[in-house]
Amino acid sequence: KGFPQLQEHYAMLGVPDRVTAKVMTQFGHNYNFVSREVMYHFFNKHLALGLDEPVIEEDYKPLTTAELTVWDSDHPRPASGGDYERSLLRTMTEASDQQLAQLEPKDAASLAGFREIVGGAFDVIVGRSLPAADSVQLKSVGEESKGDYTQSKAVLRNVPHEEEIPLVILHPKKWNKRVVIVLDEAGKSALFDAEGKPQALATSLLAAGSAVIAPDLLYQGEFLADDKPLEQSPKVENPREFAGYTLGYNPALFAQRVHDVLTLIAFGKAYRGENPSVDLLGQGPAAAWAAAARAQAGTAISRLAIDTRGFRFAKLGSTRDVNLLPASVKYGDLPALLALGAPGELWLAGEAEAALPLARATYKAAGAQNNLATEASPANQQHAVKWLARPGNER
């Protein structure tokens, strides 16, 4: 439909012979004989092959078995079959794991290498960095005075990516120039009780002087028609059940939710034009969203308070799990994301000491051992609030 305009554009550039096209949308699969014939002429012209036209496709004469065979007495056929393939994959995995284990930071130089390799991998896996402040817009839906604080409903929009995030903002009258973004599997509704009143977590944060932002990330709260939590991540319709049909072309839902968190962080940094301190708080899978966002946002996050409850991508049992993040296990799972947050301040609960060597090594290599605070599980959310509210976090 747009071909005439394309031809006109090339003509205006003075190179009308550089664009050729033939539309054949009647075919369900376009790499057929008719399409190949068009390709042959295109290559002949633009690669200067010098073939006589029209270029006619010749019949293909298959090679004989003898001509195709590469294995002989000097070059015997290698082992094959399911058992061998599993063994080969184990060998490849072990070799790769050994290389990755050698990246554990020991000093500033090895820390830089860890960030380049592992951090670079998660850059690709997550697929988004912190957006520019001017790419984020807030549309107010309503505001109410609640005495010591105001409660606002709004929609936050990431303009370049055409994404919208419903959220609620609780703003204390005595604000300490800090913003705490609260992430939860239930979305923003987790901030309130059945009567719509702020629960203890929210009231404690407000009492400490923090502004509180709670969002509905993708497929949470207002994104759900029946208000029921999403049990499986969306997939591309295909008669064969294969994760690659969806995840080979689309970001995982986990990554999309991290994208939303990054948009929230960009908004928080510009909140009321005050460049406040921005903190993240989450537990369970939401802790993993927060850790991934911290790894991508870096110093834009002042403090991260999370209770992981032992969450690991490796424990997920389905490719349709809403928290699946492909390739995350290979590059260190959640512990690697925690390590990538160094030297940023981190309050970490829900983790056994045996799970902390990488994080501790990374914080030590960054010269920031005191920025990592841990608490045995089960954790108390009020401890997290107290840690977030302690002096020295203001901007």
Side-chain angles (χ1 to χ4, degrees), residues 81-313:
D83 289 341
Y84 173 76
E85 290 182 12
R86 282 184 283 271
S87 174
L88 176 61
L89 289 174
R90 279 194 297 270
T91 300
M92 294 171 65
T93 299
E94 289 170 0
S96 177
D97 288 347
Q98 288 176 2
Q99 289 179 306
L100 289 170
Q102 292 172 3
L103 294 174
E104 181 176 305
K106 299 176 180 61
D107 50 32
S110 56
L111 176 58
F114 176 80
R115 286 175 173 157
E116 178 183 3
I117 303 300
V118 178
F122 276 104
D123 285 343
V124 176
I125 293 168
V126 174
R128 187 83 65 87
S129 58
L130 189 70
D134 59 5
S135 69
V136 174
Q137 296 177 353
L138 186 74
K139 179 182 178 181
S140 177
V141 178
E143 181 176 295
E144 297 179 76
S145 175
K146 299 288 185 177
D148 292 336
Y149 69 95
T150 58
Q151 180 172 316
S152 305
K153 294 181 180 179
V155 174
L156 184 63
R157 181 174 172 79
N158 185 315
V159 178
H161 292 283
E162 299 183 340
E163 298 165 349
E164 292 186 341
I165 308 168
L167 51 81
V168 63
I169 303 173
L170 307 181
H171 186 85
K173 287 190 174 178
K174 295 182 179 180
W175 183 38
N176 61 8
K177 302 297 176 65
R178 289 178 35 238
V179 171
V180 178
I181 300 171
V182 178
L183 305 176
D184 193 278
E185 288 185 277
K188 64 180 185 294
S189 65
L191 218 57
F192 306 94
D193 62 20
E195 297 178 354
K197 297 179 180 179
Q199 301 208 69
L201 175 64
T203 56
S204 297
L205 289 169
L206 287 169
S210 299
V212 182
I213 297 176
D216 279 338
L217 307 181
L218 185 60
Y219 291 110
Q220 287 187 319
E222 293 188 37
F223 288 106
L224 302 172
D226 55 7
D227 203 32
K228 294 181 180 179
L230 196 67
E231 295 183 355
Q232 291 185 315
S233 60
K235 69 169 185 174
V236 172
E237 290 301 324
N238 198 283
R240 290 181 290 174
E241 189 67 25
F242 173 52
Y245 288 132
T246 298
L247 299 174
Y249 300 90
N250 304 282
L253 175 57
F254 183 100
Q256 291 176 298
R257 286 176 170 174
V258 175
H259 299 171
D260 286 346
V261 179
L262 290 169
T263 298
L264 288 159
I265 295 168
F267 168 69
K269 291 298 296 178
Y271 183 66
R272 299 201 170 198
E274 296 283 355
N275 186 31
S277 167
V278 177
D279 305 329
L280 289 183
L281 189 154
Q283 56 189 2
W289 309 336
R294 167 40 108 55
Q296 297 306 108
T299 57
I301 295 298
S302 179
R303 288 176 175 167
L304 174 64
I306 54 175
D307 179 359
T308 68
R309 298 179 181 175
F311 175 89
R312 291 293 185 275
F313 297 108

Side-chain angles (χ1 to χ4, degrees), residues 55-104:
V55 181
I56 305 299
E57 181 175 288
E58 299 178 359
D59 291 336
Y60 175 74
K61 181 181 178 182
L63 296 175
T64 65
T65 301
E67 290 172 322
L68 284 170
T69 300
V70 296
W71 311 122
D72 55 28
S73 57
D74 295 325
H75 306 88
R77 180 192 298 273
S80 62
D83 289 341
Y84 173 76
E85 290 182 12
R86 282 184 283 271
S87 174
L88 176 61
L89 289 174
R90 279 194 297 270
T91 300
M92 294 171 65
T93 299
E94 289 170 0
S96 177
D97 288 347
Q98 288 176 2
Q99 289 179 306
L100 289 170
Q102 292 172 3
L103 294 174
E104 181 176 305

Side-chain angles (χ1 to χ4, degrees), residues 37-54:
E37 187 178 56
V38 174
M39 180 190 69
Y40 297 147
H41 290 96
F42 178 86
F43 283 171
N44 191 38
K45 176 180 179 180
H46 294 286
L47 299 182
L49 298 180
L51 301 176
D52 294 334
E53 295 196 4

